[in-house]
Amino acid sequence: MSLKVSHHLLLCVPNKTSSLCSNLAQSKQSWEQLKFILKKLRLEEPNRPEGIVLRSKVDCLRICKSGPILLIWPEGIWYQKVFPNRVEPIINRHIIKGQPIKEWVLKNTPLRNLGNKVH
Ligand code: FES
């Protein structure tokens, strides 16, 4: 059985020894908040009709001065300054309602449509 995936969330939580991020403590707290909210809203249930929401902790997304950064696929939306208090609104509006919070978006890098035919 294949797993249906709704979104994949990548949050930078840098390795202390390798990063220039000035918000290391905030990144760690945002990661804990992200885990808590996804569990609370049951978004990690494998049988969720819309698909499961995956999360990954990544070391650095190379925009440290705007961090913590949360990158959401498949839209390719990069949220900046994702402090713990921004996590729940992003999940509620972007993931559940499908309405990204434009004021907090740093950039948008959508994947090309892989369904296009090659001519
Ligand atoms: S630690 Fe570099 S982008 Fe967050």
Side-chain angles (χ1 to χ4, degrees):
M1 189 179 103
S2 64
L3 184 67
K4 185 176 173 186
V5 176
S6 141
H7 292 83
H8 190 177
L9 282 50
L10 286 76
L11 179 71
C12 70
V13 184
N15 178 330
K16 188 166 48 177
T17 58
S18 67
S19 177
L20 301 174
C21 184
S22 58
N23 293 306
L24 175 60
Q26 294 278 358
S27 287
K28 287 180 175 174
Q29 288 173 19
S30 294
W31 176 250
E32 294 305 316
Q33 179 70 355
L34 181 63
K35 289 195 296 187
F36 175 76
I37 297 298
L38 294 181
K39 187 164 287 198
K40 182 176 99 170
L41 298 175
R42 304 173 66 90
L43 298 175
E44 296 182 305
E45 299 287 326
N47 55 358
R48 179 175 178 252
E50 301 87 345
I52 189 171
V53 176
L54 301 175
R55 56 179 164 79
S56 297
K57 191 188 323 185
V58 298
D59 186 52
C60 178
L61 289 162
R62 298 172 185 242
I63 321 175
C64 304
K65 66 179 170 52
S66 301
I69 299 289
L70 177 64
L71 169 57
I72 299 184
W73 297 112
E75 293 90 348
I77 288 182
W78 302 62
Y79 284 102
Q80 62 182 329
K81 303 190 186 312
V82 181
F83 303 120
N85 65 340
R86 288 190 169 188
V87 171
E88 188 160 14
I90 290 172
I91 299 303
N92 274 323
R93 285 193 29 204
H94 185 135
I95 304 297
I96 295 180
K97 295 182 182 160
Q99 301 165 346
I101 303 177
K102 292 181 183 153
E103 312 89 85
W104 298 346
V105 171
L106 178 66
K107 64 179 180 174
N108 188 356
T109 56
L111 290 174
R112 286 177 292 153
N113 184 349
L114 300 177
N116 283 349
K117 290 181 180 167
V118 178
H119 297 283

